[in-house]
């Protein structure tokens, strides 16, 4: 579904090295803030694309990026959106409540305040960061740092 194209260079995106480009989505199991369990192998087995968005509620760039994603991309039901933070649920829930009181079923919010397993695996030391995996579970695009408004929407809505 997602393809890296030359026009992304103008947006300051990282191009993945050939070895990273086909990296498989790691098998992770999360407890979401809704109280359900999310297993990344289920996402791949059901042929969904997924977008990991690492954020922190106090980060202004993160707030802008998530607002943009929530208004332009979130209705795409073929994509699983996984928002991950090291902030506590108490700090995270009000942040999402102001953006979208009723989150769609394809949105998962993960608080890794006890152990940041995804942050470690994806080597995210500070947000924002975004990783996009296609329906085969292959990493096809990522960016660490501030992202130009509308860029994620232009990638996932192709």
């Amino acid at each position: 579904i997602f393809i890296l194209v030359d026009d992304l260079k103008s947006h300051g995106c990282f191009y993945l090295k050939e070895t990273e480009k086909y990296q498989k989505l790691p098998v992770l199991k999360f407890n979401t803030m809704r109280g359900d369990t999310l297993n990344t192998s289920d996402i791949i087995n059901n042929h969904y694309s997924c977008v990991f968005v690492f954020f922190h509620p106090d980060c202004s760039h993160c707030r802008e990026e998530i607002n943009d994603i929530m208004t332009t991309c979130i209705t795409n039901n073929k994509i699983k959106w996984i928002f991950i933070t090291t902030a506590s649920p108490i700090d995270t829930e009000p942040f999402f409540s102001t953006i979208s009181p009723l989150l769609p079923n394809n949105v998962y919010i993960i608080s890794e305040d006890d152990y940041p397993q995804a942050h470690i695996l994806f080597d995210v030391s500070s947000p924002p960061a975004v990783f996009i995996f296609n329906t085969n579970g292959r990493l096809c695009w990522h960016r660490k740092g501030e992202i130009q408004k509308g860029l994620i929407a232009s990638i996932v809505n192709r």
Side-chain angles (χ1 to χ4, degrees):
I1 285 183
F2 306 112
I3 300 169
L4 292 172
V5 293
D6 288 337
D7 67 342
L8 293 179
K9 283 184 182 175
S10 63
H11 297 292
C13 298
F14 291 112
Y15 274 83
L16 302 178
K17 297 175 189 167
E18 204 57 34
T19 55
E20 292 175 331
K21 193 173 187 180
Y22 302 106
Q23 184 177 351
K24 289 286 273 178
L25 176 64
V27 175
L28 298 168
K29 187 176 179 180
F30 298 107
N31 294 319
T32 70
M33 288 182 48
R34 279 190 191 126
D36 51 351
T37 301
L38 172 67
N39 191 326
T40 56
S41 62
D42 294 339
I43 293 170
I44 300 308
N45 292 339
N46 292 313
H47 302 289
Y48 285 102
S49 298
C50 64
V51 179
F52 283 83
V53 179
F54 291 86
F55 76 99
H56 196 278
D58 295 336
C59 167
S60 63
H61 298 300
C62 299
R63 285 194 303 270
E64 289 174 21
E65 185 177 312
I66 291 174
N67 272 321
D68 187 42
I69 288 170
M70 295 298 273
T71 57
T72 60
C73 311
I74 220 68
T75 57
N76 188 336
N77 289 325
K78 295 178 184 176
I79 300 171
K80 298 293 183 184
W81 295 88
I82 303 160
F83 296 93
I84 303 176
T85 183
T86 55
S88 72
I90 293 169
D91 295 330
T92 305
E93 193 160 349
F95 170 72
F96 274 94
S97 296
T98 59
I99 294 173
S100 179
L102 297 172
L103 293 174
N105 288 334
N106 62 329
V107 175
Y108 303 90
I109 304 169
I110 313 294
S111 172
E112 292 192 322
D113 62 334
D114 56 346
Y115 178 71
Q117 66 172 338
H119 283 75
I120 292 168
L121 281 171
F122 287 97
D123 193 30
V124 174
S125 56
S126 65
V130 175
F131 294 80
I132 300 175
F133 290 86
N134 66 17
T135 56
N136 296 318
R138 301 283 184 191
L139 179 65
C140 57
W141 187 87
H142 81 284
R143 169 91 166 136
K144 293 180 182 177
E146 186 178 351
I147 297 172
Q148 181 181 0
K149 185 175 181 170
L151 181 59
I152 300 298
S154 72
I155 294 170
V156 301
N157 290 330
R158 289 187 187 171

